[in-house]
Amino acid sequence: MYEGVNASDGYGIGVAQVAVAPDLSFTPTKPEDPEAEKARYNEALAKFVDQTNNQIERMKQSVGEEAAAIMGAHIEFAEDEGIKDMVNGSIDSGMCAEQAVSEAYDMYFNMFSNMDDELFRERAADVADVKTGLLADLLGKQVVDLSSLPENSIVVVEELTPSMTADIDKENVAGIVTETGGRTSHSAIIARALEIPAVLSVADATKNIKSGEMVIVDGTLGKVINNPEDDVLENYRAKAKSYAEEKAALEAYRGKETVTGDGEKVLLVANIGNPDDANVAAEHDAEGVGLFRSEFLFMDAKELPTEDEQFAAYQKVALRMKDEPVIIRTLDVGGDKEIPYLNLKHEDNPFMGFRAVRYCLNNPEQYKVQLTALLRASAFGDVKIMLPLVTTLDEVRQAKALVEECKKELDERGVAYNKDIEVGTMIETPAASLIADDLAEECDFFSIGTNDLIGYTMCADRGNDRVSYLYTVYQPAVLRSLKRIIESGREKGIMVGMCGEAAADPLLIPVLLSFGLNEFSVSAPSILRTRKIISEWTKEEADALTEKVMKLKTATEVKVMLQAAQK
């Protein structure tokens, strides 16, 4: 048995199909005719872009707009003027196209790989995928093809790239195993969109698992079993049947209110990363948007998005969600995110550096462009403004003062907006947790970002295998912090939500209900399951369990108790 990251829930049973990437090695040569070499590069580039556009159209049908949008980054990197200039310049200096492409894309790969933000590190995979595609075209090699797999295949690859999945027939794939990737990686996002059980980051999977072997993929617990014993196989077949039946039963919760077992209503909303994701959220029956990460608008642009460009994106989400709440987080970037036009300086420790609200408040005119666009969008729906990485009360007051300046300027322009727009903050630092009572007096709502809160509280990077055991929401220190935040907000009468991954954790949901969490913001595919679990707990039951949990001293003890209490 092998263990990895539980990236996509469910149980897959089938026959291993180990896919090995093509050999893209080459011997650098000096071209006799640089112009002909550049023409060869441009021909490969045009072919790659054409292939990718076709893949995007196919993926829209197979996995939906949200997952297909991932491939858009491939075209951006392929057509990036800076990269093209670098490649052509290298060819002019005496490199062959293969070497020029490799060096240019390796530079960008290293840049993204070294960023602290996991979502930005995932862009390194896009860069590597583009490099592979271009080199394959230049060398006349065939990339991994998953279009003609037999039924009940378990795909075993080093890395499941977006381009590999463009032609995948999900009806024939029972499970996915990779050697790389985390829960927020593109491999995981696509696997969940395809609804295929997946376990990622299984060390040496392509070496230890052989094509033709019977394999079980436990996407729920992150386990992979090859050549299972008969009793293990039968046990997992029963689990797979139960899982399928449970999934079908979740449809009964579509269109229903999200209420606890004793009738207390809570809000169940979705996290989104771009305007098109609002369609996916609505399709999964979300009751609004709890987190719209606006930085993706800035990452995917070649220059600072204008007020009108930002307004159009925010308005699109507001209109799609109608009168349901839409919480939009203002720009969350810093020294770890290389957005060239922002001219951010390199920092040795950008995770604790000049980022998020700190950067925005030090660039007030730029910040006001975003705040003005958000205010304008509020005329078309229940838009709320959320501030990231707050650590002091002054930051909230300064941001609110800028909002008031923007309101006055819109009044002078005669532009409509919601004069009572709510301004809240993410609570994702120990500092914010400790002054949550003071922040609650200044904020209209809280949204707890558990991903960062856990990391900062435990001083542990979940991407670092040596300390990842510390990175868990079940740590008593984290639970006490959550309790303090939620109670502080509720005492001041403001809404308290959660937009980190913990909001969809079935083990933690009763504890969050007991603490008094008002809003659960989860990934769109988790909506119905989360609604079902919430409905199974009364406040009295949740309180009784939580009282016992909060007396425990270790994360292991907490998790064991919560697992035993599952319904």
Side-chain angles (χ1 to χ4, degrees):
M1 183 183 74
Y2 308 102
E3 295 189 355
V5 175
N6 55 326
S8 181
D9 289 345
Y11 307 97
I13 303 171
V15 177
Q17 304 291 335
V18 181
V20 180
D23 179 10
L24 298 177
S25 61
F26 60 89
T27 301
T29 59
K30 184 173 182 177
E32 294 181 2
D33 184 352
E35 292 304 316
E37 196 71 2
K38 285 192 283 188
R40 197 164 70 89
Y41 160 62
N42 288 324
E43 183 179 340
L45 180 61
K47 181 180 177 182
F48 176 83
V49 171
D50 185 56
Q51 290 172 332
T52 303
N53 278 320
N54 290 333
Q55 289 173 334
I56 290 172
E57 293 306 312
R58 290 193 293 272
M59 287 181 74
K60 286 180 180 178
Q61 301 301 317
S62 62
V63 297
E65 296 274 352
E66 179 183 14
I70 289 171
M71 293 294 289
H74 287 56
I75 293 179
E76 289 174 18
F77 282 123
E79 295 187 327
D80 184 272
E81 292 299 327
I83 297 179
K84 289 198 295 185
D85 288 346
M86 191 181 304
V87 172
N88 286 318
S90 295
I91 292 174
D92 282 332
S93 68
M95 288 187 191
C96 62
E98 289 86 351
Q99 184 180 2
V101 165
S102 290
E103 293 195 3
Y105 282 92
D106 283 348
M107 189 196 79
Y108 275 77
F109 177 84
N110 292 331
M111 179 181 72
F112 282 109
S113 296
N114 292 325
M115 293 181 182
D116 284 322
D117 190 294
E118 184 174 357
L119 289 171
F120 282 85
R121 285 201 302 267
E122 294 301 340
R123 297 196 72 125
D126 295 323
V127 174
D129 208 10
V130 176
K131 173 188 169 184
T132 296
L134 290 174
L135 284 179
D137 286 336
L138 288 167
L139 295 168
K141 298 291 183 70
Q142 179 68 42
V143 295
V144 174
D145 182 7
L146 302 179
S147 63
S148 56
L149 295 168
E151 278 189 272
N152 294 318
S153 291
I154 301 294
V155 175
V156 184
V157 291
E158 181 179 352
E159 179 179 15
L160 183 71
T161 65
S163 59
M164 285 183 194
T165 60
D167 297 315
I168 199 169
D169 184 352
K170 65 179 180 180
E171 300 302 322
N172 289 343
V173 179
I176 295 170
V177 181
T178 76
E179 294 182 355
T180 63
R183 278 195 62 85
T184 60
S185 69
H186 288 167
S187 300
I189 292 170
I190 293 172
R192 288 195 289 270
L194 290 166
E195 299 185 327
I196 297 174
V199 179
L200 311 185
S201 289
V202 178
D204 298 322
T206 58
K207 296 177 183 176
N208 295 328
I209 300 173
K210 309 300 180 185
S211 289
E213 289 182 342
M214 176 66 73
V215 174
I216 295 170
V217 176
D218 184 338
T220 303
L221 294 181
K223 296 179 180 179
V224 177
I225 306 168
N226 61 327
N227 297 317
E229 299 290 337
D230 288 345
D231 59 333
V232 174
L233 188 58
E234 287 306 311
N235 180 41
Y236 268 96
R237 282 176 175 156
K239 284 184 176 182
K241 181 181 178 182
S242 297
Y243 183 83
E245 292 172 348
E246 180 184 344
K247 187 176 177 182
L250 288 178
E251 286 301 313
Y253 292 87
R254 187 177 295 279
K256 301 287 183 65
E257 284 193 331
T258 305
V259 293
T260 62
D262 47 357
E264 183 177 341
K265 181 153 181 9
V266 295
L267 197 61
L268 183 56
V269 292
N271 300 326
I272 67 173
N274 62 62
D276 290 334
D277 289 352
N279 294 324
V280 181
E283 288 165 7
H284 282 82
D285 210 31
E287 298 166 354
V289 171
L291 171 63
F292 177 6
R293 303 178 181 92
S294 69
E295 57 269 20
F296 287 90
L297 296 171
F298 295 78
M299 285 176 57
D300 295 335
K302 290 182 171 57
E303 59 185 6
L304 191 68
T306 65
E307 178 188 317
D308 285 342
E309 288 171 336
Q310 293 189 55
F311 163 66
Y314 308 144
Q315 180 197 43
K316 183 176 182 179
V317 176
L319 290 172
R320 181 63 182 88
M321 302 312 297
K322 299 179 180 178
D323 294 326
E324 294 172 330
V326 175
I327 297 177
I328 302 177
R329 183 174 70 188
T330 62
L331 182 60
D332 185 4
V333 294
D336 62 328
K337 301 177 177 70
E338 295 288 339
I339 301 180
Y341 61 81
L342 293 183
N343 298 313
L344 296 167
K345 295 181 180 179
H346 172 76
E347 295 179 304
D348 291 335
N349 188 2
F351 201 53
M352 295 186 180
F354 187 60
R355 53 174 294 213
V357 75
R358 302 167 184 177
Y359 168 83
C360 290
L361 291 175
N362 275 273
N363 292 274
E365 292 307 312
Q366 177 182 307
Y367 198 21
K368 285 173 64 177
V369 172
Q370 180 173 37
L371 295 175
T372 300
L374 288 166
L375 284 167
R376 288 174 59 190
S378 71
F380 298 88
D382 187 13
V383 170
K384 306 175 192 294
I385 298 173
M386 182 159 66
L387 313 175
L389 205 78
V390 164
T391 54
T392 72
L393 200 60
D394 286 337
E395 290 166 337
V396 177
R397 289 173 174 168
Q398 289 174 41
K400 289 175 68 176
L402 288 177
V403 171
E404 291 305 313
E405 287 182 26
C406 295
K407 286 181 178 180
K408 291 178 182 177
E409 291 170 8
L410 285 175
D411 288 337
E412 293 171 359
R413 290 162 54 183
V415 177
Y417 64 91
N418 176 12
K419 297 186 185 299
D420 297 318
I421 190 170
E422 293 186 6
V423 178
T425 182
M426 285 192 74
I427 305 291
E428 52 188 330
T429 66
S433 172
L434 289 169
I435 61 168
D437 51 345
D438 293 330
L439 289 172
E441 293 181 351
E442 288 285 342
C443 296
D444 295 311
F445 64 89
F446 285 164
S447 185
I448 305 171
T450 52
N451 296 357
D452 274 347
L453 183 63
I454 296 168
Y456 282 124
T457 300
M458 300 307 301
C459 298
D461 177 2
R462 60 177 164 172
N464 184 335
D465 293 338
R466 300 182 68 181
V467 297
S468 59
Y469 68 96
L470 292 168
Y471 186 95
T472 170
V473 73
Y474 309 123
Q475 293 285 359
V478 176
L479 292 178
R480 292 179 191 181
S481 184
L482 295 178
K483 185 173 188 290
R484 173 182 176 79
I485 295 164
I486 296 170
E487 288 181 349
S488 294
R490 293 300 298 265
E491 285 174 5
K492 301 298 183 182
I494 67 171
M495 186 277 287
V496 183
M498 179 179 289
C499 57
E501 288 186 20
D505 185 338
L507 300 183
L508 194 66
I509 284 173
V511 176
L512 297 176
L513 290 171
S514 176
F515 288 167
L517 193 72
N518 303 95
E519 179 217 63
F520 294 72
S521 190
V522 303
S523 65
S526 299
I527 292 286
L528 296 182
R529 184 188 66 170
T530 303
R531 183 172 292 151
K532 174 180 180 292
I533 295 170
I534 288 171
S535 74
E536 294 172 340
W537 288 92
T538 65
K539 185 69 164 56
E540 184 178 356
E541 291 169 336
D543 285 346
L545 172 62
T546 302
E547 184 179 0
K548 297 176 184 177
V549 165
M550 296 304 288
K551 293 178 181 177
L552 300 176
K553 307 298 183 184
T554 70
T556 300
E557 292 172 345
V558 169
K559 187 173 183 180
V560 168
M561 179 173 285
L562 293 178
Q563 286 175 327
Q566 266 195 304
K567 295 192 176 185

